[in-house]
Every structure is written in structure tokens, then in C-alpha cells.
Amino acid sequence: MRNGGTALDEAKVRRVLDRIGDRNGWNSGDEPALDRLLRGTDAQPDLGDVLEVYRDGAFASPPEIGLLLYSAVRSIKPDVVVELGTSYGFSTLHIAAALRDNGHGTVFTSEIDPRKARDATWNFTAAGLHSHVRLLLGDAVTSLKGFGEQVDLVYLDGWVGSYLDALTVLRPALRPGAQIYANSTRRFGVQARPYLDHVRDSANGFFSVEVPLGNGLEASTYVSREPREESVGAIEAGKAG
């Protein structure tokens, strides 16, 4: 689906998006190496082992999620978007296209693999959208610690086992009403469970629902800056016990 008059329809943007898809494929859930790593365990695998699986793959977000992100950014007109997991920049380009069409905003996107970060940077420049992107090289949780900007929208598309840590680090920077989208939460449901339990408990300050796109997309809204008082009391009582 293409809408005339948007940055997504510019020839140089389409060329880069199509090249990412043709060269690297989509995150369809057919990931035998990752299946082997996770088979027979409910535990979180070692992050280094996960990165080895992903290092030579692309696992770009499905096109429909890219379009959803474009639509969300156009709708809420964020100044600051944070993305975990750049890969080659497919979803980042959709976000940056919407920011350019809005006339303002920056997406801060984190990528741990230097080769993918280099290729993504080339893609941003080739598409003419680099002025709306800041790439943070390194582990996302470390890169985002102490993030100094107020965040309007978050897209989590790295390893699901790190989503709750990333959200916890970003929470002080979230504005009330901030939107959080987390990809592959159904595909890796066991490893995503701590994150899903957190955002689906309204006592933690979020309203959340699964969207049936891709491998499961969790859409959450940050509705309060602090957990409810009774929730904090329950946590403290649990610690005391």
C-alpha cells in the first residue's frame, strides 16, 4: 500500500526499502538457528548466543509494521522516538519518513552490531532521511541509560528478553501518553513474558493490547509517571516477607 505525496513514495526511499527487503528478507518467524537455541528451555538464553544468531541475518520488521509506525508517527507528531534494534534500518526509515513529513523530530536508534550500524547509516543517507536519525552504537540498555530527552514513542525490535530492561531504563524519560510498540512478543512468548506481564498490569502505569501483526506486536500507552501507591506498597511488603 502506497500513499501519494509522502516521503515513502520518493524514488530514493523506495529503492532503499526495496533493497533491504530483497537482500535481507522479512522477520517471518522462520528462524531455525534461533529455534535450536531456544528449544527445550524456558530460560533466557545468553545474549551473546542470541547476537551470534542475528549477526548474519536481517530479520527486518514486516512491511505492515513499518506502515503502522509511519502512521503512528504522523498521528502523534513526536519530537523524540527511540528504537531498540536498528538492523539495516527498515523500520527506522519508516519512522524517519514520517518525522520528515511532520516537519520535525528525531529517531534515536540503537544497534549493537557495528557492521549493521554501518550499513544502516549508508541506507539513511541514501534515502535522504539521515537528518532525522541518530544512531547509537552499542548495547541498547547501556546506550539509553540516562537518556536526556523526553520520549514520545518507543519501538522495541531487538531481543525480546531485553525489552523490560530497556523500558525500565527509558521510563523516567517517557512522557505521559507515550506510545510503546514491542515486536515479536508472540513469537518469543516465553522470553517476552516478563515484559508482557509488566505492561499488561495497569498498576505499573501502562495500558496494553496485542496487535495481530507480524510475530505479535504489543501496543502500550504510558498512562502515569509512577506506579500506583498500592502497587508500590505490595512490592515493599513482598520484599519484607
Side-chain angles (χ1 to χ4, degrees):
M1 182 179 71
R2 299 183 182 179
N3 299 310
T6 74
L8 291 178
D9 284 296
E10 292 185 4
K12 58 185 177 182
V13 176
R14 291 309 323 167
R15 278 197 300 270
V16 175
L17 291 173
D18 290 343
R19 183 168 60 244
I20 294 172
D22 292 342
R23 172 188 170 188
N24 303 303
W26 313 117
N27 188 348
S28 65
D30 182 18
E31 298 152 28
L34 195 54
D35 284 338
R36 287 193 296 271
L37 178 63
L38 299 177
R39 186 176 296 134
T41 178
D42 290 343
Q44 294 287 359
D46 181 78
L47 182 58
D49 293 337
V50 174
L51 292 176
E52 283 302 314
V53 171
Y54 276 93
R55 196 175 304 279
D56 294 324
F59 310 116
S61 298
E64 59 268 23
I65 290 182
L67 293 176
L68 176 67
L69 291 170
Y70 176 88
S71 179
V73 172
R74 289 304 307 273
S75 176
I76 70 173
K77 296 179 170 54
D79 291 317
V80 175
V81 179
V82 171
E83 178 184 48
L84 185 155
T86 313
S87 191
Y88 295 106
F90 184 81
S91 54
T92 320
L93 286 167
H94 281 80
I95 294 168
L99 293 172
R100 203 201 70 180
D101 286 345
N102 284 346
H104 65 91
T106 302
V107 52
F108 294 81
T109 181
S110 176
E111 175 55 48
I112 198 169
D113 183 69
R115 179 175 57 86
K116 287 186 176 182
R118 183 191 66 237
D119 289 352
T121 299
W122 188 94
N123 288 335
F124 302 148
T125 301
L129 297 172
H130 55 285
S131 63
H132 290 282
V133 181
R134 283 191 58 185
L135 195 149
L136 309 174
L137 179 61
D139 171 69
V141 175
T142 302
S143 300
L144 298 172
K145 193 169 292 184
F147 191 76
E149 307 277 349
Q150 181 170 261
V151 178
D152 305 297
L153 188 147
V154 178
Y155 179 49
L156 303 173
D157 193 27
W159 172 239
V160 294
S162 66
Y163 285 2
L164 184 55
D165 288 341
L167 183 65
T168 300
V169 165
L170 281 172
R171 182 174 181 132
L174 295 178
R175 70 162 177 83
Q179 303 291 298
I180 304 100
Y181 295 93
N183 195 22
S184 296
T185 51
R186 186 180 67 249
R187 171 71 176 83
F188 304 112
V190 172
Q191 289 74 26
R193 181 50 52 193
Y195 175 84
L196 293 175
D197 286 347
H198 185 81
V199 295
R200 290 176 179 177
D201 184 349
S202 61
N204 292 320
F206 296 91
F207 179 82
S208 196
V209 64
E210 182 181 357
V211 179
L213 288 177
N215 295 315
L217 184 72
E218 189 76 9
S220 310
T221 301
Y222 183 52
V223 294
S224 67
R225 192 161 290 280
E226 297 295 340
R228 289 204 305 261
E229 198 169 307
E230 58 267 29
S231 176
V232 174
I235 293 171
E236 294 301 323
K239 289 179 180 177

